[in-house]
Amino acid sequence: MIRHGSRRWLIAALVAAFAVSWFSTRFNQYYLGIAIDVGINIILAVSLNLINGHTGQFSLGHAGFMAVGGFTAAKLTLLYGESLYPFSLIVGGIMAALAGLLVGIPSLRCKGDYLAIVTLGFGEIIRVIFQNSQFFGAATGLTGIAKLTTFFWAWGIAAVTIYVIAGLVNSTYGRGFLCVHDDEVAASAMGINPLRYKVTAFVIGAFFAGIAGALYAHHKRVLQPDGFNFIKSIDIVVMVILGGMGRTAGVVVAAIILTLLPEVLRSFASYRMIIYSLLIIGLMMGRPQGLFVWPIFKKNAKN
Amino acid sequence: MEWFVQQLINGLALGSIYALIALGYTMVYGILRFINFAHSDVLMLGAFAAYFVAPPVTHLFPPQSYAGALAVLLLSAVICAIIGMLIEFLAYRPLRRRPRLTVLITAIGVSLFIEYTCQHEKVFGAQLKPFPKLLAEQNFHPAGLSINGNDVVVVVVTALLLAGLWYLVQKTRMGLAMRAVSFNEKAAALMGVNINRVISFTFGLGSALAAVAGVFYAMRAQGIEPLMGIKPGLYAFIAAVLGGIGNLPGAALGGLALGLIETFAGGIPALSNYRDGIAFAILIFILLFKPSGLLGKTQVEKV
Amino acid sequence: MTSPASSSSLLQMANCTIRFGGLTAVSELNLSIGQRELVGLIGPNGAGKTTVFNLITGVYQPTSGQINFEDKSTARLNPHQLTRRGIARTFQNIRLFASLSVFDNVRAATQLHRAHGIRDALWRGRSFHDSEKTVETEVMELLEVFQLGKHRDKLAVSLPYGDQRRLEIVRALATRPKLLLLDEPAAGMNPTEKVELMKLIQFIEEKYQISVLLVEHDMQVVMGICRRIIVLDYGVKIAEGNPEEVRKNPKVIEAYLGEEPV
């Protein structure tokens, strides 16, 4: 997909995001807010796709990484001022990456459902820690965070995320992630260190989830530990699965659709979440390989 | 000492409830190899079934009598067994040959569907409802201790159910069929086992146990609401994994262990806020050393 | 019984034993493979042949005994580390990467000899593109040599059975091994395919100048191409020598050939 000129593609995307952002004051602020939501969800879904899709390590803890990044970044700008915003994004990402390293280690020993429950557990532990930490506002969380996330930041970083993850996977080095996904024993017989690839996937995935959390904090202006429970992780997993595991473009489209869907269904008010859940079931029955995977690209679904 | 014994009884009662739920998770996993996320909602439906069944039952039996409580318990177990079989028939059976991940996401979809539907104002509504008193509150005072009579009932009924389940699985034809299907579905089918009936039965049985657990859980809670199943469901799920998912004694053991951990950690003021986190931390710790749970068999991949 | 034919030894197993619980899968095994040698390892089902492979490739660690590769111990090394040192293998039940194309299956196996990693994949500078080009040429050359070039973009698992076996060998060769372990490559092949396979193995040995250890059930294949054969039964080496010697060995006839006279 992205092979040559991928850096040019990235620069074009960044310029476009900047241009839209420049005129953003003229847009309907409600729609602009949703657009930023979409950008953040793209980052989350694409980064989780590296772990769940490309590397095949079923993780249910993505919301935890998001929380680490969000709380870290929000606390930074609350304490030391708004000018630190870009720096806070990076620090949030790095803290989340460290958490990812920690979570990645059990992945060396646990597989499948066991790994899913371990990552879910890590996500919940992170949430409980924030809930009990006075420094991060305990159960009420952090409020009064400056609104600093613009269209440029959300979509610019989404473009960087896509570039990094698609670029990584589309290299000889990155084929290792797919090999680990397909067959760890055969991968190690080819000189590929499965452990290293798995941890790398967790660290990179967590890094971008952390940045997404930081963006989210400066977009919603309020952070509550309860917002990062495992239902949030599952929302992101659903995006990845609907997009087609390991298909970056599909996952991006799925993130867009699934973010817009609740807004579209808003007129059905009390029925919209029921419709959302029925949609998940219907899609799994009708298009389990993902919404945007057509037979010619179809992967061998033999998990 | 007194504190210890009381927490012990309390923990055993809570652990019994978790064990009953965990058995449902583990039985379905043993046969279909997927985590039935909707199980926690069946438990909630069990509590609601009891809520609606209890008032009419008082016309037949004296209120707060053991016979009345038993009738309520049986009726909600039957109702939930039917619901469980229905879920399997409608949502999971069409996906029998699909990748496990597809089924897992469908299960999440079913779970969300039940929760959101029940939360709707025209169904149960989201607010907390007071659960009818099935049994009188009576406290025993042996040797200066204060022991809740209902806790004892919960432990005794659970012990009886576990014994019954053991008999069913080990000594009856249906139990043999269940074990055969869980060992090798294809071979069992070739030996003339009616797979669909076994799977249907398993769902019914697991759901009935969940209903009993739901009623017990509701008796100890402040009230019932459509999301009440999430927390015990999650804990029971951890319990099943802790014991080694697919392993029946493991689920019972894991459930008891988790109930005790939760009660003891909750009884120590410094730890009580971290209760949820501690359960997960212990789980992760155990899985690091025994990656397939306490009683689970380590799957050695043949090379 | 003769001693190893070639002068310097590439792989040396000394008194290797491995037990799984109470079962001794391989017992006190001594085995050596010289440079550029084609050795056959045969034995009835469950004799421990694949276990020997798993010991050599680091999938299992021996309970006791010593394995040296190029005079260096392989103890406590992981399979991927041993692949880096020059041991490559195929699997009894084909294990290709199911979601990857033929080309990518082989490409993935070339990564271990490249200096380019994560940073280059992200920066995508000139040297990265050059290196990716080199890999592509190298992989295509290999595929062409084994007549798989025309399938480069097909899914590996969509190939016919014989091609999948061949692809697995190509993938192992892409790691540039000094020792190639082939685990029952003739399994499931018809007589014509077996003849082709024999030619292929001999061709590999000559072209790439490497040693090959062949585990095989099929006597015809082993007797046809191996100059030295080792016979295992119940984890114990019962015979070793050239095809003629092995064929005449009474223990072998009893344990193995008796079932199926040659």
Side-chain angles (χ1 to χ4, degrees), chain A residues 3-4 6-7 163-164 167-168 170-173 175 178-179 182-183 185-193 200, chain C residues 79-80 83-84 91 95 97-100 104 107-111 114 118 121-125 128-129 132 171:
Chain A
R3 201 163 273 167
H4 297 290
S6 46
R7 261 191 296 179
Y163 170 82
V164 166
L168 204 57
N170 282 305
S171 69
T172 302
Y173 167 81
R175 281 293 178 253
L178 308 181
C179 294
D182 283 354
D183 189 333
V185 174
S188 57
M190 295 307 118
I192 291 162
N193 184 350
T200 307
Chain C
H80 65 91
T83 311
R84 277 166 196 278
F91 296 90
R95 300 186 85 132
F97 300 120
S99 66
L100 296 187
D104 277 341
R107 170 151 82 124
T110 61
Q111 172 64 24
R114 293 173 76 232
I118 232 171
L122 293 183
W123 180 244
R124 310 213 145 215
F128 170 77
H129 283 296
E132 292 285 89
R171 188 181 64 174

Side-chain angles (χ1 to χ4, degrees), chain A residues 58 60 105-106 109-122 124-125 127-129 131-133 183-185 230-231 234-235 237-238 241 245 270-271 273-274 276-278 280-281 284-289 301-303, chain B residues 29 33-35 37 90-92 94-95 98-102 104-106 108-110 112-113 115-117 120-122 230 234 237-238 241 244-245 273-277 280-281 283-284 287-293 296 301 303:
Chain A
F58 199 75
L60 282 174
I105 291 167
R109 283 184 63 83
C110 297
K111 283 193 171 97
D113 301 294
Y114 291 97
L115 180 62
I117 188 81
V118 165
T119 51
L120 188 157
F122 261 110
E124 291 290 292
I125 290 174
R127 186 175 62 81
V128 170
I129 291 174
Q131 226 155 25
N132 289 290
S133 152
D183 189 333
E184 275 182 44
V185 174
F230 83 104
I231 304 283
I234 285 174
D235 281 346
V237 170
V238 170
I241 289 176
M245 303 271 275
S270 62
Y271 292 101
M273 291 320 283
I274 302 177
Y276 173 76
S277 57
L278 280 176
I280 295 177
I281 302 172
M284 281 300 107
M285 301 223 172
R287 292 202 68 82
Q289 69 276 46
K302 261 202 294 196
N303 298 351
Chain B
Y29 189 91
R33 301 273 180 275
F34 86 97
I35 296 157
F37 263 86
L90 293 176
Y92 304 148
L95 301 174
R98 299 278 186 79
R100 282 166 48 196
L101 203 59
T102 309
L104 186 73
I105 298 303
T106 311
I108 293 173
V110 172
L112 292 177
F113 173 73
E115 281 162 19
Y116 289 131
T117 309
H120 196 271
E121 65 228 351
K122 286 183 187 140
I230 295 179
L234 192 63
F237 176 32
I238 301 176
V241 177
I245 196 151
N273 286 334
Y274 288 95
R275 212 160 56 174
D276 293 359
F280 276 112
L283 172 84
I284 292 169
L287 286 186
L288 281 181
F289 293 97
K290 293 224 38 155
S292 20
E301 196 179 1
V303 179

